[in-house]
Amino acid sequence: MEDLLEHAVQRAGSLGASYAEARYQADRNESMILKNGTAEATSRRTIRGISVRVLVKGALSFGATNVLGKRSLTDLVGKVVKGAAAAAEHVRDPIRMAPAEMMVAEHRIRPRVSFDNVTLESRLELLQEADSTAVGTAEAAGISMPGRYMSLDALTTERLVINSDGARVRSLVPRVSVNIFLTVAHPERGAMQRIVSRGEVGGWEAAERWDLPNTLAQETKVLARILHQAQAFRGGKMDVVLGPEVVGLVSHESSGHPGEGDRILGREAAQAGETYLSRDSLGLRVGSELVNVVDDPTLPRSFGHYLHDEEGVKARRRYLIKGGVINEFLHNRETAAEFGVESNASSRSVAFDREPIVRMANTFVEAGDHSLEEMLEGVRSGLYIKNFMEWNIDDRRYNQKYVGLEAYIIQDGELGPMVRNPVLEITTPGLWGAVDAVGDELELHSAYCGKGDPMQGIPVSVGGPHLRLRGVRMEGSP
Amino acid sequence: MRPWEIGEEAISVARRLGADDVAVTVTERQENMVRFANDQITVVNTLRELSANVYLCLGRRKATINVLDLSRKGIEKACREAVGMASTMPEASLYAPLPTGPFVYDEVLTRRREVPGGPERTVHWVQEAIEEAKRCGATRTAGSLTAKNVVIHLATSGDARGVAYRPSLELSIRAFGEGLASGHSLSVSPDEEGFDPRNAGREAGELAKAARDPVKGSPGTMDALLGPMVFADVVGQVGRFASAFYVDAGLSFLAGKIGEQVAAGSLDLFDDPTDPSALGHSPFDAEGTPSKRKALLEGGVFRTYLHNSSTAAKFEVESTGNAGLITPMPYSLQVGAGRGSLEDLLSQMEQGIYVTNDWYLRYQNYSSGDLSFIPRDAMFLVREGKVVSSLKELRISDNVLGILKRIKALGGQRRWVRWWEVETPTLTPAALIGGVRFTASSQ
């Protein structure tokens, strides 16, 4: 394979490319779906092929094929260079690759328990036990659970990247993820839904550690309490404590995305959108001095883990917001050149046939020094939103909405009654600026982040500790 | 091996290994994409792919696998693997044998078709669209143009044999104007004849110019004129959640609604893969069932879920020709035209908001249809039938069936929509909706 990639890079150079990279990527996914307690199907899918990306006279071109042979690859390189040449005729501001230390490295992760050694029956048993526990818990709590959808995925990504600047990076990363969708109902109190996701780098040991039966039992008990007890919520201006699940999403949507270099340059403008930040926003205060948001691909076991990006740059922790001030943007070599900085290794691609673009990895608010109890103690009258169901944010990443699922009134520092569907609709600086306390326990949650055209849903983590917001406006649901 | 030989070989091997049902799809894909931003091409993408997928059942036990090595040896290996996987699975709750042919497919739909996709041509189209948008008032543009030629060879153990050609040209262009103004337009077509990049550029540019210097909108409940890009997103929810798979999983606001008036009487919605001029046309579904035109909404009454053979068996009906082997899906949606131009619809608004585009639609509850989505690009305050100002920073927080029930009028001019936010090709007019709930950030 290495020879083929070398051939592609050299061939592109001989055809006039000033920069060329070739990548082999194989993504293997074994997926099992359980719907309402019964297995629907199991699938095994490997997507693998070679991509080539070249720079010709300041124009960038990318191509991919799954026909793996020298002739096919030579043909592809010709087409990719031709594509760049056609675009080069209209180039006004030539695209460049920022200088970077090119890594020659290998990073192979071995799961403690490989899915190759876990039978399909065992995987199915795990899901079925979780399903029956959830259903039994629901019945015991006086509600029904008419809809259950569960998927268990074992994913392995093998990658080799070679480029004309000297990078040669090989990696093998196994991942496991579970996605569960529960619908509960009560004849008089209506229906309610909850998504439970888990994911990390590793193998079967992670799926066992998640203790899905117990996890779903706890989730079901909470859903039953919401259905039975949660009161209508009127809203008003109040102090709000956000749980780590909500904070994780906020860190991703309202700090990670707005700080992506390609988005700032308008490269995603017609798809994933733009940003309220500009290239001059470094140093801009967007939150209270307690807010520190980082993105760190190097965290072991994290769902968005990698050590070298797809341009051969070594990964490192990035401080996106430091002390409430915009500190760093996410860059690949292309956007770094435009900004006059170094790449911070944010170039990722979800498959062999997708262009590497600027992506987050594991984005979270750094932990502070307050326990949850201390945070609650400081609230005379407010709201605790532990998790959510609905959310969205505008394409400039400025106006967002989170609708709480498990949520409680806070009265004199204590959790009070549950409320239904409280709505936080707030601007990004409004949210970060209201933070007056940061929890001391960090939680990471797995997710898939969508961006690019064609769409690329890439594994990431989002997370944070609890956050307390002072004096924000909450709305009730109609 | 040639594509049709791959299908025959896989069926033969899988049957020999004990499979009762086998469906093999071989896909040849050629895609050329040009992306642009700030009026410049940012990347040219070229994709060449040949792939094969095998679905098989041992009794009611199902498995799917893709075949990497398309030689006889590779096909044998993949089939053995799939049979091994299926044999360890329990019986699926949803199962029916694959439909049995031989089938006769519409000759018009199986005719070889393709669109031009070389880089000189696609780059030229992009330049045309950019120039027209700028001429009409855009300060800058961004977007993508994709030329796709996809050929699907299908063979099943039920004697289905067919080839589907699914070409498309798709341009999405967003134009920007003064003070955070923007306008978005599309040109999408299964052939070059219906593809008009210049017109898309013009519309995006004009919208961006008209939307200059938007001001923050005030929340409230009022009439909304949803342009075709927005209404396609809304009716697309009906298409998606009409899938019997989602109904069965408790994830559909359409569960138990067959025969019910779920939308205004003026709304007809069809899934029609049989229209050869339609984006998304196809002679057959993933199981080989010949495509059918079917009403999802007729006079606002919900008529049918979308089925493959397995879901149809569970619901004791016939397949609607909408397989997905696991999840049935819509292929090509068409909303019946109303009457009048966009100006006519505007003239019916005493006070309301005209929304030209939206994104980020998310549900609070899939079974009730409570959701919100965000108006994006040009949005206008309308008073007494006239646009009076440009707006920004509002959100629609409502219920999907509520919106459809409150349709006051549908426009007479329909257009095709498919882009980043709207996956299923949809032909739709604009729609005037009463009492739409707009919300906004408070701080």
Side-chain angles (χ1 to χ4, degrees):
Chain A
M1 188 53 62
E2 209 163 321
D3 290 348
L4 265 182
L5 300 191
E6 286 283 8
H7 164 72
V9 168
Q10 284 174 14
R11 176 75 181 160
S14 71
L15 293 175
S18 56
Y19 169 81
E21 81 194 11
R23 168 167 50 100
Y24 168 79
Q25 184 166 332
D27 290 280
R28 184 176 195 232
N29 181 8
E30 283 188 4
S31 182
M32 178 173 286
I33 294 172
L34 194 78
K35 191 175 72 177
N36 295 337
T38 307
E40 273 301 318
T42 180
S43 66
R44 187 170 293 164
R45 187 170 171 79
T46 301
I47 300 177
R48 58 108 175 87
I50 292 176
S51 69
V52 175
R53 194 167 67 138
V54 304
L55 202 50
V56 177
K57 295 178 182 168
L60 195 62
S61 181
F62 172 86
T65 181
N66 68 350
V67 182
L68 303 184
K70 196 168 180 181
R71 186 187 296 177
S72 163
L73 196 56
T74 303
D75 180 55
L76 176 72
V77 172
K79 286 191 165 73
V80 171
V81 170
K82 192 177 167 193
E89 291 176 23
H90 305 280
V91 162
R92 190 181 60 226
D93 305 315
I95 291 169
R96 294 167 292 130
M97 294 288 171
E101 184 185 356
M102 293 286 94
M103 302 305 297
V104 177
E106 185 163 338
H107 178 50
R108 287 177 175 269
I109 296 176
R110 294 194 188 285
R112 286 170 58 187
V113 182
S114 168
F115 269 86
D116 291 340
N117 299 325
V118 181
T119 62
L120 293 176
E121 291 99 318
S122 301
R123 304 179 203 185
L124 187 61
E125 275 170 23
L126 177 78
L127 292 182
Q128 285 180 324
E129 187 189 346
D131 181 83
S132 60
T133 306
V135 171
T137 307
E139 283 171 4
I143 59 171
S144 63
M145 190 172 273
R148 291 101 62 203
Y149 176 89
M150 303 182 184
S151 67
L152 170 64
D153 290 85
L155 314 112
T156 306
T157 299
E158 182 187 1
R159 195 180 278 128
L160 172 61
V161 179
I162 291 176
N163 70 31
S164 57
D165 289 345
R168 185 178 302 261
V169 175
R170 193 187 291 272
S171 64
L172 183 74
V173 179
R175 288 185 173 84
V176 52
S177 77
V178 170
N179 293 288
I180 297 170
F181 207 113
L182 303 176
T183 300
V184 297
H186 183 276
E188 282 89 45
R189 303 283 291 172
M192 186 157 286
Q193 290 162 334
R194 167 83 169 134
I195 297 171
V196 179
S197 296
R198 298 284 185 275
E200 64 180 57
V201 165
W204 176 248
E205 73 280 1
E208 288 193 313
R209 179 162 26 79
W210 293 331
D211 191 4
L212 294 176
N214 187 44
T215 299
L216 292 198
Q218 299 310 316
E219 293 282 356
T220 305
K221 284 177 187 171
V222 171
L223 289 169
R225 283 173 44 218
I226 299 171
L227 271 181
H228 286 305
Q229 301 171 13
Q231 306 169 357
F233 177 68
R234 286 188 173 180
K237 195 169 183 181
M238 62 189 71
D239 298 339
V240 175
V241 176
L242 300 178
E245 207 174 298
V246 187
V247 173
L249 190 61
V250 174
S251 67
H252 178 91
E253 302 288 4
S254 306
S255 174
H257 275 309
E260 291 166 337
D262 55 347
R263 195 183 281 266
I264 294 167
L265 294 173
R267 208 176 181 281
E268 279 286 320
Q271 293 89 14
E274 299 210 310
T275 166
Y276 76 99
L277 299 174
S278 72
R279 56 196 304 162
D280 302 323
S281 296
L282 291 179
L284 178 72
R285 176 163 292 283
V286 295
S288 84
E289 60 187 17
L290 298 173
V291 175
N292 295 294
V293 183
V294 302
D295 186 276
D296 190 349
T298 67
L299 295 179
R301 286 199 346 215
S302 62
F303 205 42
H305 172 83
Y306 62 92
L307 291 185
H308 310 93
D309 80 353
E310 295 182 25
E311 293 175 337
V313 180
K314 188 176 179 181
R316 65 168 173 83
R317 174 174 280 220
R318 290 79 63 113
Y319 269 86
L320 307 180
I321 298 178
K322 205 169 193 172
V325 170
I326 298 292
N327 182 71
E328 183 174 13
F329 299 135
L330 294 172
H331 287 296
N332 60 11
R333 293 181 67 196
E334 178 192 344
T335 63
E338 192 68 27
F339 281 70
V341 298
E342 288 185 0
S343 164
N344 49 25
S346 302
S347 180
R348 299 181 72 191
S349 168
V350 75
F352 83 91
D353 57 357
R354 294 292 183 267
E355 176 197 8
I357 57 175
V358 174
R359 304 308 297 259
M360 283 173 264
N362 305 298
T363 316
F364 56 92
V365 174
E366 274 195 325
D369 57 3
H370 277 61
S371 68
L372 176 58
E373 291 68 30
E374 287 170 332
M375 280 191 180
L376 296 174
E377 276 170 17
V379 177
R380 209 173 69 175
S381 173
L383 189 72
Y384 172 43
I385 305 175
K386 188 173 179 188
N387 53 41
F388 64 94
M389 183 65 195
E390 175 191 341
W391 90 99
N392 50 30
I393 186 164
D394 69 16
D395 78 300
R396 295 181 63 242
R397 305 281 155 179
Y398 195 73
N399 293 283
Q400 58 237 269
K401 177 186 182 186
Y402 304 98
V403 184
L405 183 65
E406 183 181 355
Y408 305 82
I409 296 288
I410 307 171
Q411 287 170 328
D412 298 324
E414 302 278 342
L415 290 184
M418 298 183 101
V419 292
R420 268 206 185 191
N421 300 342
V423 178
L424 175 62
E425 204 164 347
I426 193 167
T427 65
T428 296
L431 193 157
W432 291 128
V435 174
D436 92 321
V438 180
D440 56 5
E441 285 189 31
L442 173 69
E443 279 182 28
L444 283 183
H445 296 268
S446 65
Y448 284 92
C449 170
K451 186 181 170 186
D453 189 6
M455 169 63 83
Q456 301 194 47
I458 209 158
V460 296
S461 296
V462 302
H466 283 86
L467 288 185
R468 187 173 65 200
L469 314 181
R470 285 292 190 197
V472 296
R473 175 92 201 163
M474 294 296 305
E475 300 289 340
S477 288
Chain B
M1 293 175 79
R2 292 176 185 173
W4 63 269
E5 292 174 315
I6 295 168
E8 298 299 338
E9 177 72 11
I11 290 171
S12 157
V13 171
R15 293 296 293 262
R16 175 162 49 80
L17 294 171
D20 299 292
D21 300 297
V22 191
V24 184
T25 309
V26 180
T27 305
E28 299 173 88
R29 181 182 297 274
Q30 294 195 16
E31 285 187 23
N32 294 294
M33 171 184 277
V34 178
R35 287 187 56 166
F36 55 102
N38 303 311
D39 310 328
Q40 284 203 101
I41 291 168
T42 53
V43 70
V44 177
N45 283 347
T46 307
L47 174 64
R48 299 283 180 275
E49 206 172 85
L50 176 64
S51 59
N53 195 70
V54 176
Y55 161 87
L56 56 79
C57 302
L58 299 180
R60 299 173 67 100
R61 301 163 202 270
K62 302 177 182 178
T64 67
I65 196 164
N66 72 322
V67 188
L68 289 173
D69 175 0
L70 297 174
S71 66
R72 286 184 198 284
K73 206 170 164 185
I75 292 167
E76 168 105 18
K77 180 171 175 281
C79 289
R80 280 191 183 282
E81 220 174 311
V83 167
M85 287 158 62
S87 65
T88 60
M89 289 292 288
E91 295 187 340
S93 62
L94 300 182
Y95 169 76
L98 286 172
T100 307
F103 300 103
V104 179
Y105 299 123
D106 185 332
E107 279 184 23
V108 176
L109 294 173
T110 53
R111 197 170 293 158
R112 185 180 190 87
R113 303 163 74 173
E114 60 180 36
V115 292
E120 293 87 356
R121 196 69 172 274
T122 50
V123 166
H124 172 72
W125 278 327
V126 163
Q127 293 297 333
E128 263 190 350
I130 293 172
E131 282 164 17
E132 191 65 10
K134 303 256 314 188
R135 192 184 69 74
C136 292
T139 54
R140 65 185 168 96
T141 62
S144 65
L145 186 152
T146 310
K148 287 185 199 171
N149 285 301
V150 180
V151 185
I152 296 167
H153 306 260
L154 177 75
T156 77
S157 53
D159 275 344
R161 300 285 185 276
V163 185
Y165 297 90
R166 294 184 186 159
S168 68
L169 290 167
E170 302 179 23
L171 170 71
S172 167
I173 179 166
R174 191 178 190 198
F176 292 85
E178 303 294 337
L180 297 180
S182 59
H184 203 133
S185 185
L186 311 168
S187 179
V188 293
S189 172
D191 52 44
E192 193 178 353
E193 236 171 37
F195 186 60
D196 193 346
R198 191 176 285 275
N199 189 50
R202 180 169 67 246
E203 185 179 51
E206 287 174 351
L207 283 169
K209 187 178 178 185
R212 63 182 297 169
D213 300 322
V215 296
K216 187 168 178 176
S218 301
T221 299
M222 62 197 96
D223 286 359
L225 176 56
L226 306 182
M229 287 178 74
V230 187
F231 198 56
D233 201 10
V234 175
V235 295
Q237 303 307 308
V238 174
R240 180 181 173 199
F241 289 105
S243 170
F245 184 91
Y246 292 122
V247 173
D248 195 45
L251 294 177
S252 174
F253 52 84
L254 293 167
K257 297 270 196 302
I258 288 180
E260 279 189 27
Q261 186 84 37
V262 299
S266 57
L267 184 61
D268 296 324
L269 174 66
F270 298 90
D271 175 54
D272 188 3
T274 68
D275 178 352
S277 69
L279 204 62
H281 66 76
S282 180
F284 46 74
D285 72 1
E287 293 177 333
T289 301
S291 298
K292 298 168 191 167
R293 181 176 197 263
K294 79 236 33 127
L296 293 174
L297 299 171
E298 215 165 24
V301 175
F302 182 56
R303 291 297 183 200
T304 183
Y305 302 133
L306 298 177
H307 288 289
N308 58 20
S309 296
S310 295
T311 63
K314 168 143 190 184
F315 285 76
E316 297 180 343
V317 294
E318 285 189 1
S319 169
T320 56
N322 287 88
L325 292 166
I326 305 298
T327 308
M329 59 189 179
Y331 279 69
S332 184
L333 296 172
Q334 299 196 10
V335 177
R339 297 173 70 179
S341 64
L342 192 70
E343 288 68 30
D344 294 331
L345 294 177
L346 277 169
S347 71
Q348 297 175 41
M349 298 172 77
E350 197 172 312
Q351 169 141 339
I353 295 175
Y354 170 32
V355 184
T356 63
N357 193 16
D358 77 295
W359 90 319
Y360 225 130
L361 185 151
R362 290 290 184 280
Y363 285 86
Q364 175 66 13
N365 189 326
Y366 289 87
S367 53
S368 69
D370 293 336
L371 49 61
S372 66
F373 52 95
I374 304 179
R376 165 168 158 164
D377 303 305
M379 175 168 56
F380 304 101
L381 181 64
V382 180
R383 281 203 189 110
E384 293 173 0
K386 304 279 183 208
V387 166
V388 293
S389 64
S390 169
L391 300 178
K392 64 178 181 179
E393 298 186 42
L394 286 173
R395 174 179 280 104
I396 292 177
S397 299
D398 212 304
N399 177 282
V400 63
L401 292 179
I403 290 172
L404 296 178
K405 276 183 181 160
R406 285 181 261 117
I407 292 172
K408 288 182 162 182
L410 294 166
Q413 297 162 335
R414 299 186 297 170
R415 62 186 304 173
W416 281 102
V417 177
R418 189 179 126 86
W419 74 292
W420 212 71
E421 190 70 13
V422 176
E423 196 176 347
T424 305
T426 304
L427 178 67
T428 181
L432 178 60
I433 317 288
V436 174
R437 186 164 171 265
F438 287 87
T439 60
S441 298
S442 55
Q443 66 189 90

